[in-house]
Amino acid sequence: MKVVITDHEYRDLRYEEKILNNKNIELVKTQCTTEDEVIEACHDADGIINLYAPISSRVIGELTNCKVITRYGVGVDTIDLGAATEKGICIGNVPDYGIDEVSDHSLALIMSLLRKINSSNQIVKNGTWDVNLSKPVYRLKTLTIGLVGFGNIPRRLAMKLQALGVNVVVSDPFVSVEIAEESNVTLVSLEELCEKSDVISVHAPLNAGTRGMIGTKEFKLMKKGVYLVNTARGPVIDENSLIEALKNGIVAGVGLDVLESEPIESNHPFLTMDNVILTPHMAGYSEESAEEMRSKTALGITDVLLYGQYPKYLVNKGVKEKVELKPFIMDERYQF
């Protein structure tokens, strides 16, 4: 069986190779960037591991043997799920890796903004020792922080924020009041979250319903001087609207690990804004989380091709109507 890695950003593929080291699997490593390159590499593949290369409906239409596609990380926005489901291809991801890493990174960005760490550091390095240039700074436990989305990562972040005495509100149409109460947070609409929050941290997945969900309308609802953090997906926030909100002072500062287009272009306005903190889509990274994520991505391939099971982290559950596999059975392979 042929398994193709469409693209990756790692120095080596030792974790994937360890999992897929099987006499019945031929592992092909490529660095595709276009649909045509993916089709050429993957048209006869039985399994595909994907990072950023486009797995569009056109690509899926050209796949003759594919039974499973797994994607590094949580998001599956590079893959046309509908087309894959219709063709009976299982899609897997790794939703439970990096929960601490991303929540830690979000907290670090929040704290850096609220305590003016980044800007104060630059002021001092520019030769000025003056606390007045870093004002105002507010006591943390007097603030309300709003979390857009309330999956595993923001739930962990909420716990960390609550340990610091912060009031947390959340907006998520798929979360019940009971779940919110169990987490000691207040469930509100997105509009109310925008109105009440001193800091907004974005954790929504990217899909047709969330693309641009933080835009001009939402910025107009926000408190003047709000801070914004995004460790989810760049296109969830409309960047043109954000730039305008930064210029007119509605948003006092942002911490962004993700952008609409990555890597950032050399002439991007964010690069000249002192109140913008940027990190290179690294929130989920630690040495431990990298091994876990990459290994689990490869394990999703073996779930289907070697064990005849649905992947542990099956995204497109509707595929069960198209292809019959055994239910996933947990074993020691997934112990990390």
Side-chain angles (χ1 to χ4, degrees):
M1 292 175 287
K2 179 179 177 180
V3 175
V4 177
I5 298 177
T6 61
D7 57 316
H8 68 89
E9 54 186 8
Y10 313 117
R11 285 192 292 264
D12 59 57
L13 293 167
R14 61 187 183 275
Y15 303 123
E16 296 84 346
E17 290 168 346
K18 179 180 178 181
I19 299 296
L20 297 170
N21 181 23
N22 185 285
K23 64 180 181 180
N24 294 317
I25 291 179
E26 173 196 4
L27 181 60
V28 178
K29 309 154 197 174
T30 62
Q31 289 289 11
C32 302
T33 59
T34 68
E35 291 181 2
D36 287 339
E37 289 173 346
V38 175
I39 290 170
E40 181 178 356
C42 301
H43 66 93
D44 59 346
D46 297 277
I48 298 172
I49 293 176
N50 171 249
L51 183 58
Y52 297 126
I55 311 291
S56 64
S57 59
R58 174 173 170 251
V59 170
I60 289 170
E62 297 293 330
L63 301 179
T64 58
N65 296 326
C66 190
K67 303 169 185 64
V68 56
I69 302 172
T70 59
R71 188 172 188 275
Y72 290 116
V74 181
V76 290
D77 43 285
T78 58
I79 304 169
D80 189 313
L81 294 179
T85 301
E86 183 63 27
K87 198 156 185 176
I89 300 173
C90 297
I91 306 299
N93 65 347
V94 189
D96 61 353
Y97 98 99
I99 293 172
D100 269 317
E101 285 79 3
V102 180
S103 58
D104 286 346
H105 199 87
S106 302
L107 181 59
L109 290 173
I110 290 169
M111 295 299 292
S112 293
L113 290 167
L114 289 175
R115 296 301 308 174
K116 306 289 182 69
I117 302 298
N118 199 51
S119 56
S120 298
N121 171 65
Q122 198 57 54
I123 289 168
V124 173
K125 287 186 175 180
N126 288 340
T128 302
W129 188 275
D130 186 353
V131 67
N132 292 299
L133 296 180
S134 297
K135 294 180 179 178
V137 174
Y138 298 99
R139 182 170 291 172
L140 195 62
K141 64 182 181 181
T142 67
L143 305 178
T144 293
I145 295 183
L147 307 181
V148 179
F150 201 54
N152 291 329
I153 290 167
R155 291 182 198 188
R156 188 69 56 85
L157 175 59
M159 293 170 58
K160 296 171 182 178
L161 290 167
Q162 288 163 345
L164 298 171
V166 176
N167 177 47
V168 179
V169 299
V170 305
S171 174
D172 190 322
F174 302 103
V175 168
S176 66
V177 173
E178 291 74 21
I179 290 175
E181 289 177 347
E182 288 174 7
S183 299
N184 199 30
V185 300
T186 303
L187 186 64
V188 297
S189 65
L190 179 59
E191 291 75 16
E192 189 175 352
L193 182 145
C194 290
E195 293 170 348
K196 287 185 171 183
S197 300
D198 300 289
V199 181
I200 296 172
S201 187
V202 178
H203 301 277
L206 178 61
N207 54 48
T210 63
R211 184 177 293 271
M213 70 182 294
I214 307 295
T216 301
K217 173 188 170 185
E218 288 70 32
F219 286 117
K220 287 181 178 179
L221 295 172
M222 294 178 191
K223 295 180 180 181
K224 188 175 179 64
V226 69
Y227 291 102
L228 183 66
V229 166
N230 187 8
T231 54
R233 285 291 185 269
V236 174
I237 298 175
D238 183 277
E239 274 187 14
N240 289 330
S241 299
L242 173 56
I243 291 167
E244 184 62 29
L246 283 161
K247 288 179 178 178
N248 63 29
I250 290 176
V251 176
V254 297
L256 303 173
D257 185 56
V258 289
L259 300 170
E260 278 190 359
S261 179
E262 299 173 8
I264 192 168
E265 297 179 358
S266 60
N267 62 346
H268 198 294
F270 287 155
L271 295 175
T272 61
M273 293 179 167
D274 293 337
N275 55 349
V276 176
I277 301 174
L278 300 170
T279 56
H281 205 144
M282 59 177 286
Y285 170 75
S286 71
E287 289 297 314
E288 294 84 357
S289 69
E291 178 180 1
E292 179 181 1
M293 182 268 289
R294 291 167 57 187
S295 297
K296 286 182 174 180
T297 303
L299 284 169
I301 296 291
T302 64
D303 287 341
V304 177
L305 297 187
L306 298 182
Y307 291 82
Q309 302 175 0
Y310 294 110
K312 178 181 180 182
Y313 306 107
L314 179 65
V315 176
N316 57 335
K317 294 181 172 52
V319 78
K320 291 182 178 181
E321 298 179 5
K322 294 287 183 177
V323 59
E324 185 175 353
L325 297 170
K326 293 182 287 187
F328 173 79
I329 299 175
M330 187 66 176
D331 60 33
E332 67 278 357
R333 294 178 301 141
Y334 279 91
Q335 293 178 1
F336 287 89

